[in-house]
Every structure is written in structure tokens, then in C-alpha cells.
Amino acid sequence: MELKLSILDQTPIIKGGNAALALKNSLTLAKMADELGYHSILYSEHHGVEAYGSSSPEILAATVLANTKNIKVGTGGIMLRNYSAFKIAEWAKMLATFYPDRFILGLGKAPGGLKDAVLALNGHKLPILNNINEKLEEIIAYLKEQNYKDTDLFAQPSHVSTLPEITWLGSGENSAKEAAKYGISYSMADFIADGSNTETQKIYQEEFNQSGYRNQPSFQVAISVSVAETPEQARYNAFGMVYQFLESRKILAPSVLKPSEEVEALINESADQILFNTLLDKVVMGTPDTIQSKLEEKALQYGTLDLVLLSNMFREEDRLFTYKNIIPQRSSN
């Protein structure tokens, strides 16, 4: 089974580190992923939280595109409630012009931060949430250089030869239906979703609008992964990442990535142990010899060969080990 593997990089900040180090690590990881043959690498957007170092995935994507050769690079994603559709379309067309067939415009509905950050992004006013789909329609119109609401406005640069791929980010059926309606790719975040949502792919495929932005459906699943020399070490290495998932579930701003031994002590003394273990069990874990079969099981579960892999580790060498030991297994089959 030939999987199409991509990376979701949240630019994690470790305890004792800083955002500058996290951004440097992101660039190093991108160069390695380009050499290994990953399909794409996508950057998340977070504001006002100490856990993640990238507040502007479009800038990080542009930097990575300039420093890599083959890998597709994208936003995973831009949070629509915080920006104008017109401005998004402008810089997306610029990146598509500079890097044809390599830039992916990932868009989402999540806030990207807690209340104070979202307010600051919206001029200290509450964002309008019921116009997010309208913003998506507007972006598509500007990218395709179609008339939008009877105006003569167009987004520069005009007459681009290649349009960026658009991917809608979500975690359930409603987002899948929205992506299908507009004829765009859909990326489902399995690592934060409740349950397996295995029917989502079928719904997306059945409702996909072939007269929309693109004429073929594209469904991918984002999963959390951990690879180490032993299954026990792979599980232990994932503790810091899963603790951040736990904080998010509790509507808390995720803290910096903690070492596994600190997380273990925190969990053993808290009432969150059951939820922590539930989230930990969602991580796809393995050794270099077993991870390929684990990924194939996930692909069969969701009916897609397109997987996006998230691996946040306290030790950067453990994160790199995970990504390095997934691609070689794929290539040998």
C-alpha cells in the first residue's frame, strides 16, 4: 500500500526553549522532509499561547518554500474568522505565482487562540462567526478571478497560471459537507476528534460538488504519531504532546511541551488520568518495523491513502526519529 504522507508542524515550543528555537526546528524539519520525499508539510496558526511558535503560517510557508525544492508547503490552516477574504486571496495568489503547484491554502473555522487573542485580531471586537462560509466563497471567487457581488474588484496578481489547492480543515461531518459543497479538499483532524468518525469520508465523497473549485475529491486524515526503538518508548515520548491535547480539551491555553517524566508526575496526581489515557490511545505508535502497518490500518479505517502526521516531542531528536523512520518503511514496500 503506497501511502501519501504529509506532516502537520505546529512549531512546538519546549519547556526551557523559545519560539525562535521552535521556528529554527521547523525549517530543519522541512528540509529533511523535502529530502525524504514527504508529499507536503503544513503549518498551524496559534495566537497568544506559549505552546506553539507560529502565529503566521503564511510567512512560515513562504520561508519554507524558498528553502526547499520539491515538497508541497501550506497553511494548516488560516483561521478565517480573523482575516479578510480579500487579503487571504492576494497573498495566496502571490505564493501560487512564485511556487506553482507547491503551495496549499489550508483554511479553518477555529479561533486559533483564546478570547483575548481573537479579540485583538479583530480590532478588539467580537468576530462575526456566521459569515465564515461566505468568506470561503469570496476567497474562491478572487482566486478564480470571478466577479464577486457585482464588483469589479480583483485580487493581484491577476491572470495566474496555477491556482493553489484549497484544503478545508475540520474534525467532523459538518466540515466535510462544507468542503464537498465548494469542491475543495478536506482534511479531518482525527487526533482531536471524538471517536473515529469513519463515515466522514463517505459523506464527503457522496456530496462532493464536481463543478466546484476542483473536479476531484481529496480526503485526508490528520493523525498523531510516535515512533521509537521500542513500543514502550514510543508511548512515553508522546506524553508531552498528549498533555497539550488534554489542556485543549479542557479549554485551556496549551502550555509549553513538557518532558515525559514531568507529565507522568502531573497525571498521576490528577483526576485527568482517564482522559489522558484515552487521548494517548489515539496516537498511532510503533517501531521502525511496525509503524508502516499501523499507518496502513488507519488508512483502511478511513478509506484514504492520504495521511497527515503530527508528532510533537520534548526532545527534537525524537521528533526527527519519528519522521525519518516512517518514510524509509514506505519506500521499501
Side-chain angles (χ1 to χ4, degrees):
M1 182 183 294
E2 186 72 12
L3 301 176
K4 183 164 73 172
L5 300 178
S6 299
I7 293 173
L8 171 59
D9 185 1
Q10 294 182 322
T11 318
I13 300 175
I14 65 168
K15 186 174 183 178
N18 53 48
L21 175 62
L23 290 166
K24 180 180 178 182
N25 288 341
S26 285
L27 184 56
T28 299
L29 173 61
K31 291 178 179 178
M32 185 193 80
D34 190 28
E35 294 174 357
L36 289 173
Y38 275 91
H39 173 74
S40 66
I41 187 164
L42 309 168
Y43 297 105
S44 62
E45 175 186 330
H46 293 94
H47 302 278
V49 295
E50 60 178 2
Y52 311 114
S54 172
S55 58
S56 301
E58 70 277 18
I59 294 178
L60 186 51
T63 301
V64 169
L65 282 163
N67 283 273
T68 53
K69 296 179 180 178
N70 299 306
I71 193 169
K72 292 191 175 187
V73 183
T75 58
I78 297 296
M79 300 298 106
L80 279 183
R81 70 177 68 192
N82 300 326
Y83 312 105
S84 78
F86 184 62
K87 185 57 180 175
I88 293 171
E90 285 185 322
W91 59 250
K93 291 179 77 175
M94 285 194 69
L95 287 175
T97 299
F98 278 120
Y99 304 99
D101 296 318
R102 288 189 60 204
F103 173 64
I104 300 170
L105 178 61
L107 302 168
K109 298 182 290 184
L114 297 185
K115 182 179 178 181
D116 287 346
V118 174
L119 285 173
L121 286 163
N122 287 273
H124 302 284
K125 299 176 182 178
L126 288 174
I128 300 172
L129 301 183
N130 61 3
N131 71 343
I132 289 180
N133 282 14
E134 185 178 338
K135 280 187 176 182
L136 176 56
E137 292 177 5
E138 189 175 354
I139 289 170
I140 290 173
Y142 290 136
L143 291 181
K144 298 180 72 173
E145 300 183 3
Q146 296 172 339
N147 183 277
Y148 183 74
K149 290 193 173 180
D150 297 322
T151 69
D152 294 326
L153 183 64
F154 63 93
Q156 286 282 26
S158 60
H159 308 296
V160 296
S161 59
T162 304
L163 296 179
E165 177 183 340
I166 300 179
T167 298
W168 194 235
L169 281 68
S171 58
E173 294 181 3
N174 287 338
S175 294
K177 291 180 178 181
E178 291 163 350
K181 174 183 176 181
Y182 295 108
I184 57 179
S185 303
Y186 181 55
S187 181
M188 194 190 78
D190 170 80
F191 64 91
I192 61 171
D194 289 319
S196 62
N197 291 332
T198 52
E199 291 297 310
T200 304
Q201 186 264 1
K202 182 179 179 181
I203 292 170
Y204 170 74
Q205 294 279 353
E206 288 179 349
E207 299 190 13
F208 185 81
N209 176 15
Q210 293 185 342
S211 299
Y213 186 75
R214 57 182 296 165
N215 57 18
Q216 292 293 329
S218 176
F219 178 85
Q220 63 181 200
V221 176
I223 59 176
S224 50
V225 295
S226 179
V227 182
E229 293 290 356
T230 66
E232 296 77 16
Q233 190 63 46
R235 186 175 181 86
Y236 196 62
N237 287 350
F239 275 24
M241 173 172 60
V242 173
Y243 192 78
Q244 290 180 328
F245 295 163
L246 175 67
E247 291 174 312
S248 296
R249 281 294 185 96
K250 296 173 69 177
I251 321 297
L252 300 172
S255 57
V256 292
L257 201 58
K258 297 176 176 64
S260 296
E261 54 269 22
E262 183 175 338
V263 173
E264 188 173 31
L266 287 170
I267 290 300
N268 288 340
E269 298 174 359
S270 79
D272 297 321
Q273 195 165 16
I274 293 176
L275 178 57
F276 178 83
N277 288 329
T278 298
L279 295 171
L280 185 62
D281 288 341
K282 287 184 69 72
V283 180
V284 179
M285 307 174 194
T287 66
D289 292 331
T290 64
I291 190 61
Q292 176 71 13
S293 62
K294 299 288 185 67
L295 293 176
E296 289 177 356
E297 288 176 11
K298 188 64 71 172
L300 290 172
Q301 177 186 349
Y302 282 105
T304 180
L305 299 177
D306 195 346
L307 302 180
V308 184
L309 313 177
L310 170 66
S311 183
N312 292 342
M313 304 287 180
F314 178 76
R315 299 197 320 158
E316 186 65 12
E317 53 264 40
D318 292 332
R319 183 164 82 138
L320 296 179
F321 183 92
T322 291
Y323 289 124
K324 284 179 181 176
N325 284 279
I326 289 174
I327 285 286
Q329 289 294 312
R330 181 189 69 161
S331 300
S332 63
N333 288 341

